[in-house]
Amino acid sequence: MIDITTKIASLKLRNPTILASGIMDEDAGSMKRIFDCGASAVVTKSIGLKSREGYPNPTFAELEHGILNAMGLPNPGINEFEGEIRKLKDSNVPMIGSIFGSNSHEFVELSKKMQNYGVDALELNMSCPHAKGYGLETGSDSKLVREITSKVKESTSIPVFVKLSSNLTDIIEIAKSAEDGNADGIVAINSVKAMKIDLELKMPVLANKTGGYSGVAIKPIGMRCVYEIAKNVDIPIIGVGGVTTGEDALEYIMAGASAVQIGSGVYYRGVDIFKKICREMECWMENHNYKRLSELIGVAHK
Ligand code: SIN
């Protein structure tokens, strides 16, 4: 029997595959479906204090080796989202509430509400690569990262994970700031800031001009970030970026991740990707005589 259970802070997961924020996570029904398809937990859409429409279309483009998107953090606002979280809670789906804000007051208010509604952990989105005043703009300032993380920790009792961007000058410095603020884990990475020009129109394909690139092309970038963070912090890491197969997930685990998130992979392999990845991991482990996933976490550092 192969044991692929994992633990991130107090969160015990039946396997290391988690639905990443931004894919099929707008309502309780779709998140429940993803859980039924094998994911061990789901991350909600990033939610702010007030509703946001997001950017005008086009917001999405499929490129040769990945997906480019700039949605602009569209969401119904925390009060409207309460019902979805409560419904999911009733279905016993482990839930990580993703939130974004521009300062510690907003993050604290959102965190308290998310906790009251019933999420099992929080993901602080400090990494959206293109939203003005949010995401990467908060996540590039090490003092602000420490302040937001510590204030959220002081006002909540569930695990707090900080999601970082690869577009930082020094991801290690920012990861350490999150750790200093008492984060329970780091999530790395968000989509990578990118753009595409339409040759015929002679203009960017996205209405927002720049967006975030995700999918297989960014896996080596995520891997480098997870590896470097793992060398420099002691808290658990959740790896994200281009996970499409069991082998991809195992690479992240060997780089130091305790779990992985899957987003664009759902687009490429369907909702069953979580079960498929778990089977592929188990198969590799069986062939290489590993019985527990925990034996593989961070082995690439030895
Ligand atoms: C978006 O809403 O455009 C993406 C959110 C994110 O990158 O965190």
Side-chain angles (χ1 to χ4, degrees):
M1 189 70 184
I2 308 279
D3 176 6
I4 58 166
T5 59
T6 192
K7 196 167 170 261
I8 307 146
S10 57
L11 207 61
K12 289 188 184 134
L13 300 175
R14 61 182 176 178
N15 71 59
T17 67
I18 301 171
L19 176 71
S21 181
I23 314 275
M24 292 185 69
D25 53 3
E26 279 161 24
D27 59 65
S30 59
M31 288 189 271
K32 170 78 166 67
R33 183 163 170 227
I34 293 287
F35 179 72
D36 291 341
C37 284
S40 61
V42 298
V43 186
T44 67
K45 185 158 195 51
S46 282
I47 302 293
L49 283 177
K50 300 251 154 54
S51 72
R52 268 172 73 98
E53 274 204 4
Y55 302 139
N57 282 321
T59 52
F60 177 97
E62 187 180 354
L63 308 187
E64 297 87 338
H65 307 291
I67 295 166
L68 183 64
N69 87 85
M71 303 293 171
L73 296 169
N75 78 99
I78 187 75
N79 295 339
E80 274 296 306
F81 202 61
E82 174 178 0
E84 302 307 323
I85 296 173
R86 293 208 186 271
K87 268 186 246 164
L88 208 53
K89 186 78 188 164
D90 290 343
S91 310
N92 283 323
V93 176
M95 216 184 327
I96 303 172
S98 171
I99 52 176
F100 68 91
S102 56
N103 56 49
S104 56
H105 300 289
E106 291 186 10
F107 271 102
V108 165
E109 194 177 336
L110 288 159
S111 302
K112 285 186 186 163
K113 288 194 171 182
M114 277 282 186
Q115 176 169 315
N116 287 342
Y117 299 163
V119 300
D120 301 282
L122 292 160
E123 181 174 284
L124 313 185
N125 181 349
M126 300 203 204
S127 46
C128 175
H130 48 72
K132 282 161 206 70
Y134 299 111
L136 186 52
E137 286 189 21
T138 46
S140 323
D141 179 338
S142 56
K143 274 203 195 117
L144 195 54
V145 170
R146 190 180 309 111
E147 182 197 316
I148 292 171
T149 311
S150 62
K151 293 246 161 87
V152 169
K153 279 294 293 175
E154 281 160 20
S155 16
T156 53
S157 55
I158 50 177
V160 174
F161 308 136
V162 179
K163 186 169 182 181
L164 301 183
S165 167
S166 61
N167 289 109
L168 292 162
T169 318
D170 187 351
I171 198 166
I172 298 169
E173 184 202 350
I174 302 292
K176 282 181 173 170
S177 302
E179 187 177 42
D180 287 349
N182 288 323
D184 298 284
I186 301 287
V187 181
I189 56 176
N190 205 318
S191 56
V192 177
K193 193 168 187 180
M195 81 183 298
K196 168 154 179 79
I197 304 288
D198 184 309
L199 280 188
E200 299 310 316
L201 297 174
K202 302 179 195 69
M203 60 191 283
V205 294
L206 297 179
N208 188 57
K209 299 185 178 60
T210 61
Y213 194 35
S214 60
V216 287
I218 73 162
K219 194 184 84 178
I221 302 172
M223 203 64 63
R224 186 272 298 176
C225 291
V226 167
Y227 187 87
E228 288 189 355
I229 294 167
K231 266 225 164 336
N232 289 280
V233 304
D234 294 322
I235 50 178
I237 302 165
I238 301 175
V240 204
V243 178
T244 316
T245 65
E247 284 77 10
D248 296 334
L250 285 167
E251 263 192 69
Y252 270 108
I253 300 287
M254 290 185 189
S258 299
V260 293
Q261 290 183 2
I262 296 158
S264 304
V266 176
Y267 181 80
Y268 292 108
R269 292 188 79 189
V271 285
D272 283 342
I273 186 169
F274 302 92
K275 272 190 194 137
K276 289 175 186 160
I277 285 185
C278 289
R279 231 178 288 127
E280 289 158 3
M281 291 176 84
E282 285 165 353
C283 188
W284 188 95
M285 287 170 66
E286 194 161 11
N287 290 339
H288 293 78
N289 291 319
Y290 284 98
K291 291 210 161 20
R292 277 179 299 278
L293 188 73
S294 54
E295 295 170 62
L296 287 165
I297 297 174
V299 289
H301 292 268
K302 287 181 186 134

